[in-house]
Amino acid sequence: MGSPPSASLRQNNLLFLLLILILFFCSIPDNTNLCSKQSSVNPSVIPYKSSSNISSLETLKLDGYFSFDNIDYAAKDFGNRYHFLPSAVLHPKSASDISNTIKHIFRMGSTSRLTVAARGHSHSVQGQAQAHQGIVINMESLRGPEMKVHTGELPYVDASGGELWINILHETLKYGLAPKSWTDYLHLTVGGTLSNAGISGQAFKHGPQINNIYQLEVVTGKGELVTCSEKQNAELFYGVLGGLGQFGIITRAKISLEPAPKMVKWIRVLYDEFSKFSKDQEYLISSENSFDYIEGLVIINRTGLLNNWRSSFNPRDPLQASKFISEGKTLYCLEIAKYFNPDESDKMNQKTERLLSELRYVPSTLFMSEVSYVEFLDRVHLSEIKLRAKGLWEIPHPWLNLLIPKNKIFEFAQEVFGNILSDNSNGPIIIYPVNKSKWNNRTSLITPEEDTFYLVAFLSSAMPTSTGRDGLLHVLAQNQRILDFCSTASLGAKQYLPHYTTQEEWQTHFGPQWEVFVRRKSAYDPMAILAPGQRIFRRKLTFT
């Protein structure tokens, strides 16, 4: 598959080391059971109390097994801020293991307070995959039956909900196929991203990952194992997609595929004006025969950036590029890519030249590289390896992801990039528009009302012991200033990977869809057993 990773690419600037991991990389009917206001959580592990309910789990006949000791890891995630210790961890070998466990807890009724959280590759940032004194399901243990690729007019791959997207990529490429929509970090599970949305630079063209699913197998909060699709059990199907794990645990998915390219033309250009940057992005996502991947990056107070880019990207005009000086300005990087096969190189270059000629970037800042398709899609993993080696991976990540309507994005940029974040930033700031017409409004995902909206992701890292600008408290305060501005300015923004602590906040987030969300919860998880870490619903202690 194309050329191997170059030595130069492995030396990429640390500014991009954390570039879009989502997870994108990467939720009842009665008010007495809804979440209440909570104080901030101390990062130390909160212990559990022993319960006779736990011992009853040992009586279940399973293909897999439970762990009751040495399970501290299940109280940790990528956010590294919330640490709730479960009572047990289930390592399922089949969907029946998950079904039997949840059915057992459901039948306990008022005698149990146990909740259940599905844990994929542990990339949640707000403790969403944790279950205090409950059961955490290690979804990566769920690998059977094996992944199957179906070719034909409508190709798809049938994969476990615990499978990693990187494994799906490698398997489907054996057939010359690949999923249409991705997250920017591929070491995430299928069930994890589909429970949120799965957004990346292809979303303007194909919609998020949840728009490219033919069928799901789901275990509900009653322990029922259900197959669902657009035509079969559609309410559950659309509820689970983007449903924050509130209605069921995804155990299998049939994912739409398309012919896969072998190579990628990877381009970065800079803008010194936000208006030109955003208008060009909006133009590209609305154009026919545009690029295949479109994202953007805000660069605040970063000097000498282009010199670092030379390690992995070639400037169009080296002499011109050497004369460019950022002068500490806030700059905007447009990151775009065109997919191609080796025999299509000339045609691809012509299309790329035509598209670039219509953009208004700073001419001396055009940098390009050609890499394999796998190398491009899995680019963030190389950064992960470097960060782990430096001890900079398992630190707090107080991320904030927002969806901003197009007609408010300039106002947002002026205040946030011009005032709130004018001095510095603690990590990449991703920004790019998507077309709502490509998103299915029947899913549980909540987006702004406008036809075009922007994803703005503040992917901050914080030093645990610092009290300065790189400390956790400073970043959290900065995030709150951004949220407060969105509220007071009535921007109509929505959180992606939302995190709230009160019923009122969740109701505001869902707006008119709140009643639908509550109805689905009542139908598929009436005792609020599932996904307690989202803090949307409290565990019910009686049957409804």
Side-chain angles (χ1 to χ4, degrees):
M1 276 304 301
S3 60
S6 65
S8 61
L9 184 60
R10 294 194 297 269
Q11 300 169 356
N12 201 359
N13 176 28
L14 281 176
L15 173 65
F16 298 98
L17 291 181
L18 277 174
L19 186 57
I20 323 169
L21 307 184
I22 67 201
L23 317 101
F24 305 107
F25 200 149
C26 157
S27 307
I28 185 147
D30 104 16
N31 290 350
T32 62
N33 291 286
L34 289 158
C35 64
S36 59
K37 186 71 176 179
Q38 299 180 13
S39 58
S40 59
V41 179
N42 189 300
S44 61
V45 173
I46 298 177
Y48 67 89
K49 297 179 181 179
S50 60
S51 169
S52 59
N53 292 321
I54 299 301
S55 60
S56 69
L57 297 174
E58 299 178 351
T59 66
L60 295 177
K61 294 183 179 179
L62 304 174
D63 299 313
Y65 63 94
F66 279 102
S67 291
F68 301 95
D69 301 311
N70 301 316
I71 56 175
D72 287 9
Y73 67 90
K76 300 176 182 178
D77 58 23
F78 184 67
N80 201 21
R81 291 181 54 219
Y82 295 84
H83 300 87
F84 295 107
L85 192 66
S87 296
V89 173
L90 172 64
H91 304 268
K93 296 301 180 186
S94 65
S96 295
D97 285 354
I98 299 174
S99 173
N100 290 338
T101 298
I102 296 177
K103 191 175 296 183
H104 176 76
I105 296 170
F106 182 77
R107 288 172 176 170
M108 287 182 184
S110 60
T111 67
S112 172
R113 292 178 178 267
L114 290 177
T115 55
V116 175
R119 172 189 168 93
H121 208 53
S122 71
H123 274 266
S124 299
V125 295
Q126 304 279 8
Q128 289 98 331
Q130 298 176 27
H132 184 217
Q133 301 180 18
I135 310 300
V136 168
I137 300 177
N138 177 14
M139 293 301 294
E140 288 192 80
S141 293
L142 182 68
R143 294 300 177 93
E146 293 184 359
M147 195 186 322
K148 294 182 179 179
V149 176
H150 296 257
T151 59
E153 186 176 351
L154 295 174
Y156 66 89
V157 57
D158 186 355
S160 163
E163 192 63 78
L164 298 181
W165 286 99
I166 183 63
N167 296 335
I168 289 176
L169 173 63
H170 287 304
E171 182 65 22
T172 56
L173 284 177
K174 296 176 183 178
Y175 301 82
L177 300 167
K180 300 174 182 177
S181 191
W182 297 96
T183 56
D184 282 305
Y185 180 66
L186 304 190
H187 296 251
L188 304 170
T189 59
V190 169
T193 65
L194 296 185
S195 294
N196 289 282
I199 306 174
S200 183
Q202 305 88 358
F204 79 95
K205 189 174 183 179
H206 297 293
Q209 290 180 319
I210 59 175
N211 276 44
N212 296 279
I213 304 300
Y214 291 141
Q215 182 177 290
L216 296 173
E217 180 187 79
V218 175
V219 177
T220 71
K222 299 177 182 179
E224 299 169 336
L225 185 61
V226 182
T227 298
C228 54
S229 65
E230 182 181 7
K231 297 181 179 180
Q232 181 183 7
N233 299 307
E235 184 77 6
L236 179 61
F237 178 71
Y238 289 116
V240 167
L241 294 172
L244 306 176
Q246 293 301 305
F247 314 120
I249 295 174
I250 297 171
T251 53
R252 290 200 73 78
K254 291 184 177 179
I255 304 160
S256 175
L257 303 176
E258 66 176 358
K262 289 184 169 60
M263 297 294 294
V264 175
K265 186 87 164 185
W266 189 6
I267 301 169
R268 286 175 179 159
V269 294
L270 290 180
Y271 293 75
D272 54 11
E273 293 181 28
F274 181 80
S275 59
K276 292 181 180 179
F277 167 74
S278 59
K279 292 299 181 186
D280 277 1
Q281 280 192 319
E282 291 168 14
Y283 166 72
L284 288 176
I285 70 165
S286 63
S287 302
E288 293 186 9
N289 299 316
S290 185
F291 290 99
D292 298 296
Y293 166 98
I294 299 170
E295 289 197 5
L297 181 72
V298 183
I299 304 165
I300 296 177
N301 196 22
R302 298 281 185 173
T303 58
L305 175 63
L306 297 187
N307 290 331
N308 292 320
W309 278 7
R310 284 193 180 89
S311 66
S312 55
F313 286 79
N314 297 317
R316 165 67 65 84
D317 188 328
L319 181 61
Q320 266 196 327
S322 67
K323 296 179 180 179
F324 178 82
I325 301 175
S326 65
E327 298 177 343
K329 295 178 182 177
T330 295
L331 299 173
Y332 307 93
C333 171
L334 175 63
E335 186 169 32
I336 45 184
K338 193 71 176 174
Y339 303 158
F340 68 102
N341 291 316
D343 60 347
E344 305 166 333
S345 182
D346 291 342
K347 187 176 181 181
M348 177 277 300
N349 282 326
Q350 291 175 4
K351 288 182 179 179
T352 298
E353 289 293 333
R354 178 182 59 78
L355 288 167
L356 288 173
S357 69
E358 298 170 348
L359 305 181
R360 295 169 292 172
Y361 57 89
V362 178
S364 61
T365 66
L366 173 58
F367 286 74
M368 296 183 289
S369 179
E370 289 188 8
V371 297
S372 72
Y373 186 54
V374 172
E375 188 177 351
F376 174 71
L377 290 181
D378 199 30
R379 62 200 178 279
V380 178
H381 183 54
L382 296 177
S383 302
E384 175 187 353
I385 294 171
K386 296 176 184 178
L387 288 169
R388 285 189 182 278
K390 295 175 180 289
L392 296 175
W393 186 256
E394 295 182 356
I395 60 176
H397 295 95
W399 285 6
L400 176 64
N401 297 273
L402 299 173
L403 304 176
I404 310 292
K406 169 186 154 184
N407 69 347
K408 298 291 186 178
I409 193 63
F410 188 74
E411 182 180 354
F412 177 89
Q414 278 189 311
E415 176 62 21
V416 175
F417 307 142
N419 294 320
I420 297 177
L421 301 177
S422 59
D423 293 331
N424 206 344
S425 62
N426 293 304
I429 303 172
I430 312 303
I431 179 169
Y432 56 92
V434 293
N435 300 311
K436 192 170 184 176
S437 61
K438 303 292 185 179
W439 299 46
N440 193 315
N441 61 9
R442 296 180 66 183
T443 69
S444 292
L445 179 67
I446 299 299
T447 62
E449 295 181 359
E450 196 168 346
D451 291 339
T452 300
F453 55 88
Y454 280 74
L455 171 69
V456 188
F458 301 90
L459 308 183
S460 301
S461 300
M463 296 298 105
T465 59
S466 175
T467 58
R469 290 184 174 275
D470 60 347
L472 180 59
L473 292 180
H474 175 79
V475 178
L476 291 175
Q478 191 171 262
N479 287 350
Q480 192 57 53
R481 286 184 65 192
I482 295 171
L483 290 171
D484 290 344
F485 168 70
C486 290
S487 178
T488 56
S490 301
L491 299 187
K494 294 293 183 182
Q495 283 192 36
Y496 174 56
L497 310 177
H499 172 70
Y500 301 105
T501 57
T502 68
Q503 172 191 358
E504 291 76 19
E505 288 172 320
W506 279 112
Q507 284 183 297
T508 299
H509 172 76
F510 283 103
Q513 295 303 309
W514 174 247
E515 291 185 5
V516 175
F517 201 80
V518 169
R519 186 180 71 244
R520 287 172 172 171
K521 184 68 171 181
S522 182
Y524 301 113
D525 184 23
M527 296 183 67
I529 291 171
L530 301 177
Q534 295 286 0
R535 303 172 186 83
I536 303 177
F537 303 106
R538 284 185 180 178
R539 171 75 159 91
K540 277 196 169 183
L541 300 181
T542 57
F543 288 95
T544 57

